[in-house]
Amino acid sequence: MRVPVNKIIPFSSVDGPGNRTAVFLQGCNFDCRYCHNPETRNVCIGCGECVEKCPAGALKLRDGQVVFAPPLCTGCDTCIHTCRHGCSPRIRNMTPEETMAEIRNQIPFIRGITVSGGECTLYPDFLTELFTLCRKEGLGTLIDSNGTLDFSKYPELMKVTDGVMLDVKAWSGDDHRKVTGVSGAMVQKNAVELAAAGKLCEVRTVVVPGLFDYEQTVRETAKLLKPYLGYGSIRYKLIRYRQIGVREQYAVYQSPGDEIMERLSNIVYSEGLRDVIVI
């Protein structure tokens, strides 16, 4: 079993509690207008356009596939700016065992791992195997997800998952489709079921003025989760939209001011959630 790994960050303090290794998988089933890493949305199709543009010679075309040589890469991002298909060729197709071998180097210094993307739940069998290996090493396991996998159908994955950090992009069906291109019904279903199981450790909303009804989204999400606070602590992370990294056509939106973020934070508090972070 091999999946496309975009990158592995050995030490991260922003992808869950404590110091963690963060694994980012390539590919996503959303097309968020404000995506801050749009090069992770799709998997390389092997067109080869980026190969000849790479100034470091870190990319080769072999048997119809772009092969990435990490030691040669200088991180100039020429390949990402060249790609017309919303993907990064800087991926490695790795097994759970190969991924664990890289994680193992950090074990004395980390609390656990977080797998993100793209959308990492496109590869649930990989997650199950990787998390099983992590548990044997005494490492915690978190999933960073857009919430489109029906977690209730993957009990083996849930057994080895400590918790899920869930994105709530927008509340209403129309707004969710406007922001992501797809329905958000499964996201709300997962929010309830994960919270009831004590597996929802964090929900997050990126606040983008002018794109969707962010106040409704925050209020209704907090209301939805309030009955489940007794099952475990749930953090609500409110994230300001920033233009850094977004596609040019979607860089027209403005970052929300302090007044908006404070009002949203107060809405979450008014619904009974006490762990609120604004970034």
Side-chain angles (χ1 to χ4, degrees), residues 220-233:
E220 294 303 324
T221 300
K223 281 183 179 180
L224 183 72
L225 299 177
K226 183 177 181 179
Y228 304 98
L229 293 176
Y231 295 85
S233 176

Side-chain angles (χ1 to χ4, degrees), residues 6-270:
N6 179 278
K7 62 184 173 182
I8 298 176
I9 299 177
F11 303 106
S12 172
S13 59
V14 297
D15 292 290
N19 203 18
R20 313 181 73 83
T21 291
V23 180
F24 293 81
L25 306 186
Q26 183 77 19
C28 187
N29 52 353
F30 277 9
D31 186 17
C32 298
R33 293 193 182 191
Y34 59 72
C35 182
H36 290 85
N37 52 349
E39 73 279 0
T40 67
R41 291 175 298 135
N42 300 315
V43 177
C44 178
I45 62 173
C47 71
E49 291 183 13
C50 59
V51 173
E52 60 185 31
K53 297 291 182 65
C54 177
L59 302 173
K60 302 293 182 184
L61 192 62
R62 185 182 304 154
D63 298 327
Q65 292 186 328
V66 176
V67 180
F68 174 48
L72 299 178
C73 182
T74 62
C76 67
D77 289 348
T78 299
C79 57
I80 291 173
H81 296 313
T82 299
C83 183
R84 296 180 290 113
H85 308 289
C87 65
S88 169
R90 298 192 312 226
I91 61 171
R92 293 178 291 161
N93 290 300
M94 302 176 68
T95 66
E97 292 78 11
E98 290 169 343
T99 307
M100 188 66 216
E102 293 202 13
I103 295 168
R104 197 171 281 117
N105 294 328
Q106 289 79 247
I107 282 182
F109 312 106
I110 60 174
R111 178 173 172 178
I113 76 162
T114 299
V115 186
S116 183
E119 176 49 42
C120 66
T121 63
L122 296 178
Y123 314 98
D125 294 337
F126 173 87
L127 292 178
T128 303
E129 289 198 27
L130 178 60
F131 284 3
T132 299
L133 294 172
C134 287
R135 286 291 187 90
K136 290 178 180 178
E137 301 281 0
L139 294 175
T141 54
L142 292 178
I143 293 174
D144 180 347
S145 175
N146 64 21
T148 50
L149 178 75
D150 189 345
F151 289 104
S152 67
K153 295 183 178 179
Y154 293 87
E156 295 304 314
L157 173 58
M158 288 294 95
K159 285 180 184 178
V160 292
T161 300
D162 292 332
V164 176
M165 298 185 292
L166 189 70
D167 288 326
V168 180
K169 308 288 188 179
W171 184 259
S172 74
D174 288 343
D175 269 354
H176 201 276
R177 288 185 180 86
K178 180 181 179 182
V179 173
T180 70
V182 299
S183 169
M186 182 57 69
V187 181
Q188 295 179 20
K189 174 181 181 292
N190 275 323
V192 169
E193 293 181 354
L194 289 169
K199 296 276 189 177
L200 184 63
C201 61
E202 181 178 285
V203 291
R204 292 165 308 188
T205 297
V206 178
V207 180
V208 191
L211 178 57
F212 67 100
D213 191 337
Y214 54 79
E215 190 165 318
Q216 178 198 43
T217 298
V218 170
R219 178 179 290 106
E220 294 303 324
T221 300
K223 281 183 179 180
L224 183 72
L225 299 177
K226 183 177 181 179
Y228 304 98
L229 293 176
Y231 295 85
S233 176
I234 302 173
R235 169 175 290 173
Y236 205 138
K237 184 178 287 185
L238 301 170
I239 305 171
R240 300 175 192 262
Y241 163 80
R242 295 169 174 84
Q243 293 182 341
I244 300 172
V246 301
R247 286 167 284 177
E248 184 177 353
Q249 65 267 39
Y250 299 129
V252 296
Y253 301 107
Q254 300 298 312
S255 182
D258 292 341
E259 181 180 345
I260 290 176
M261 300 307 288
E262 184 177 358
R263 184 168 75 249
L264 295 177
S265 180
N266 289 335
I267 288 173
V268 177
Y269 277 116
S270 72

